[in-house]
Structures are given as C-alpha cells and as structure tokens.
C-alpha cells in the first residue's frame, strides 16, 4: 500500500440533506403511502422528529404509488406535531413537543378518488448530539479559511442510538459569533452551514449535550503544509487508468476543511504518469466531493509516479509544496 496516499471509499452523504433512500410506510387505513428522504435506518419509518425540527412527507397512492393531490392535512395533537403547509403530494410538519400522534391527510388520487389516511409519528428531544468535521473524522479539531461558507456534519440520536430526524434545528453556539455565524436559512438534515467571518480560535458547542468541536479560522496565507492525498482507487492504477484524488492543506497539525484556495498539481515523472486538475467531478455535494482539491492521475507507463502538490497562497503567498508518489501497474 502506498504510504503517501490513503485508499478511501466515497461516502455519498449529501450536504443539502437530499439523499437517494426513502423511509416508507403504508398509512393506517391502507389508502396512502407516506415517505421521506432517509440516511439512517431506512426501513424504520417512525423515527422520532427532533423537537424544533421539520420534516417533509410525500404522500402517494398505496396501490400504484402515483402522487396524490392533498386537499387537507392536520395532526391528532398539535402540542406534539403541527402541519406547516401542504401542496400537491407534499406536506411539511414541525415537531413542537414530546409525544406520539397522528398525521391525518385527505387527498385525491389520479383516478379521481377522494380518500383519507393517517400515520403515527413521534417527536422527541435528542439525547445524543454528534458533531464532526468533514475533513478529519478522528479529531474534534480542524481549520477553516476565513471568508468562506462551510458545512459541519451533525447527527441526533436517543440514548439507545435510535436516530432522531428532521431539518432546521441547529442547537449549537459558537464561542465567538464574530468569527463564525450560523446560516439558519439552510435546510440541512445532516449538515449545518456557517459563514466564517474573520480569523480566530473558537469552539462550537452543542446546546443540548457536552459535545464540542474546536475550529481554527485562518487566512490562506497561514497554510504551511499538505495532507497526504486521498486516492479513490479500487485496486491499482494500471497503465491507461485515470483515477481521482483529492488533497487538503494543513495549518500546523490541523487539516483545513473545505478550503477554496489556489492549487497546482504537476507530474515529476511525466513518462510514468500524467497528473492534472480533475475536470469531470461534478458530484460536489458530499463530505469528500464538497472538498476542493480534486485532481486525477493517469497511468502512462509502469513505474513509480511522483508528483508535486502546491497550495499557491500558503506561506504568506510564497506557496507550500509537497511531493508524493503512487505506483503505476502494467
């Protein structure tokens, strides 16, 4: 295994909160099917909604799964859940208090039938609040560049690890709001979005548990190192293969997350490999895909591919470079 690159698996964790899987259940009367986007315990529909959070539900015909047109939506107990709005086959509910109640809907199927149905749903205050950095899963400390928009992953669970879901509920407090400002308009169920306003060392503290992230907001000129590139390689890079890599800058011992800053890559062994900025990676809405610093390595001939990565704004504008290598197989 190449010591200068880590094999990684691209985790499809979408920053906008939009995910490919759905939790789905047929309603109590068997007429409609209720669903919402899910990334945890997809087969468990009745995960509690965090009090203070919202959830969007889609309603379909239970028979042919075609969308219905909602004509009414209420809840059985508005001290637990309330309906914010409904239109077409979508409704938005908010969790306002601890409990278990029904979401009751009326709608017209595409066949013109007027029907009703309901689904039981829970609301709970989360007991566990997980915060982490996109660029360093093993540490609660990371750096960010000033003047940028950044994303912080989060997760809620109950004490028994049951996921608690919903979007729009972000119970965190930056130790210095002059350095970091929450974007409360962002509707993420897996990420919070912040603006980094100026430089400084701060903490991001959960309002409901003792969870804390340490964040160092710096200027690009403070970059003084290069993290080992991460290679998305299934087995080997063979001659003719093109494989994506990405790389992040460092400030001291901290990796710089989501750093939008000048990057140059160049092959030092052009007879063995071609190394160039990546041009075909449009999947930019994941932990890894959202990170700038993507480049690609193409195998030209068998041997050791040596290449140099430079963050041009580092070292107060003088640039910070590091050399790495990767084997090219026949």
């Amino acid at each position: 295994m190449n010591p200068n690159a880590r094999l990684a698996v691209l985790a499809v964790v979408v920053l906008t909160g939009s995910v490919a899987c759905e939790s789905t259940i047929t309603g109590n009367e068997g007429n409609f099917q209720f669903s919402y986007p899910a990334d945890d315990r997809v087969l468990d529909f009745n995960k509690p909604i965090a009090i203070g959070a919202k959830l969007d539900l889609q309603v379909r015909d239970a028979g042919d799964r075609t969308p219905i047109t909602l004509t009414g939506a209420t809840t059985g107990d508005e001290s637990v859940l309330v309906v914010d709005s409904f239109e077409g086959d979508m409704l938005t509910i908010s969790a306002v208090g601890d409990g278990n109640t029904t979401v009751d809907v009326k709608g017209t199927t595409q066949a013109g039938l007027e029907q009703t149905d309901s689904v039981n749903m829970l609301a709970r205050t989360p007991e566990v609040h997980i915060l982490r950095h996109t660029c360093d899963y093993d540490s609660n400390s990371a750096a960010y560049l000033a003047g940028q928009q950044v994303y912080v992953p989060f997760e809620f669970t109950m004490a028994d690890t049951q996921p608690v879901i919903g979007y729009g509920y972000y119970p965190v407090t930056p130790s210095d709001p002059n350095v970091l400002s929450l974007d409360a308009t962002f509707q993420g169920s897996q990420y919070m979005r912040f603006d980094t306003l100026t430089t400084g060392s701060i903490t991001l503290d959960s309002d409901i548990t003792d969870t804390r992230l340490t964040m160092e907001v710096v200027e690009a000129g403070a970059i003084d190192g290069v993290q080992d590139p991460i290679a998305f390689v299934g087995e080997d890079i063979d001659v003719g293969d093109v494989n994506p890599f990405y790389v992040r800058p460092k400030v001291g011992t901290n990796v710089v997350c989501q750093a939008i800053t000048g990057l140059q890559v160049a092959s030092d062994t052009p007879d063995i490999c071609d190394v160039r900025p990546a041009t075909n990676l449009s999947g930019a809405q994941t932990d890894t895909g959202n990170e700038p610093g993507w480049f690609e390595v193409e195998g030209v001939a068998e041997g050791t591919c040596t290449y140099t990565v430079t963050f041009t704004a580092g070292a107060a504008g003088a640039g910070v470079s590091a050399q790495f290598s990767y084997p090219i197989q026949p």
Side-chain angles (χ1 to χ4, degrees):
M1 183 176 181
N2 179 10
N4 292 325
R6 300 199 306 268
L7 180 63
V9 176
L10 182 59
V12 183
V13 181
V14 181
L15 290 178
T16 59
S18 173
V19 289
C21 297
E22 288 184 340
S23 286
T24 302
I25 196 170
T26 299
N28 296 322
E29 298 176 39
N31 293 323
F32 297 149
Q33 186 180 71
F34 298 80
S35 63
Y36 58 85
D39 60 280
D40 290 317
R41 299 193 188 180
V42 174
L43 297 181
D44 177 12
F45 177 88
N46 201 7
K47 298 179 284 288
I49 306 168
I51 296 173
K54 299 178 183 293
L55 187 70
D56 297 332
L57 288 175
Q58 184 174 35
V59 186
R60 303 183 182 97
D61 189 308
D64 57 15
R65 303 195 70 219
T66 55
I68 70 162
T69 300
L70 290 167
T71 57
T74 59
T75 64
D77 185 346
E78 292 193 340
S79 70
V80 177
L81 298 173
V82 296
V83 175
D84 288 347
S85 63
F86 63 88
E87 183 176 0
D89 64 343
M90 300 293 299
L91 72 151
T92 300
I93 56 176
S94 291
V96 295
D98 188 273
N100 176 11
T101 190
T102 57
V103 177
D104 307 286
V105 300
K106 297 186 296 183
T108 305
T109 69
Q110 292 194 359
L113 294 176
E114 294 283 346
Q115 294 183 315
T116 62
D117 212 337
S118 65
V119 63
N120 291 79
M121 302 198 76
L122 301 168
R124 294 284 187 269
T125 297
E127 297 172 329
V128 177
H129 190 185
I130 299 168
L131 299 171
R132 62 179 176 82
H133 300 287
T134 57
C135 63
D136 195 340
Y137 297 169
D138 301 323
S139 172
N140 77 338
S141 179
Y144 295 83
L145 295 186
Q148 298 191 357
Q149 209 166 54
V150 299
Y151 296 85
V152 174
F154 73 94
E155 185 176 354
F156 297 124
T157 73
M158 302 302 290
D160 62 1
T161 75
Q162 183 183 26
V164 181
I165 60 174
Y167 66 85
Y169 174 55
Y170 310 122
V172 293
T173 301
S175 60
D176 187 345
N178 296 313
V179 174
L180 190 72
S181 176
L182 173 69
D183 180 359
T185 67
F186 181 66
Q187 297 184 350
S189 61
Q190 296 170 268
Y191 296 82
M192 296 173 288
R193 187 164 68 190
F194 294 87
D195 293 304
T196 54
L197 305 176
T198 186
T199 60
S201 298
I202 65 166
T203 59
L204 184 64
D205 296 282
S206 170
D207 298 337
I208 57 176
T209 69
D210 60 359
T211 303
R212 166 177 286 184
L213 285 184
T214 301
M215 306 175 76
E216 182 80 18
V217 181
V218 301
E219 297 289 353
I223 292 169
D224 58 10
V226 183
Q227 187 189 36
D228 290 352
I230 294 176
F232 289 87
V233 179
E235 294 181 0
D236 302 310
I237 298 181
D238 299 328
V239 173
D241 287 351
V242 179
N243 286 91
F245 287 58
Y246 74 89
V247 65
R248 303 175 176 115
K250 297 183 71 175
V251 174
T253 60
N254 279 332
V255 180
V256 185
C257 296
Q258 304 165 44
I260 301 174
T261 187
L263 172 67
Q264 293 178 350
V265 292
S267 174
D268 302 320
T269 54
D271 55 329
I272 301 297
C273 61
D274 182 30
V275 181
R276 55 188 181 257
T279 58
N280 60 346
L281 290 172
S282 59
Q285 297 301 311
T286 64
D287 269 12
T288 49
N290 188 67
E291 297 280 350
W294 286 91
F295 63 97
E296 55 194 24
V297 174
E298 180 176 5
V300 175
E302 181 181 5
T304 299
C305 168
T306 303
Y307 61 92
T308 296
V309 173
T310 302
F311 285 100
T312 58
V320 172
S321 298
Q323 191 178 68
F324 303 95
S325 62
Y326 204 96
I328 304 300
Q329 304 297 331

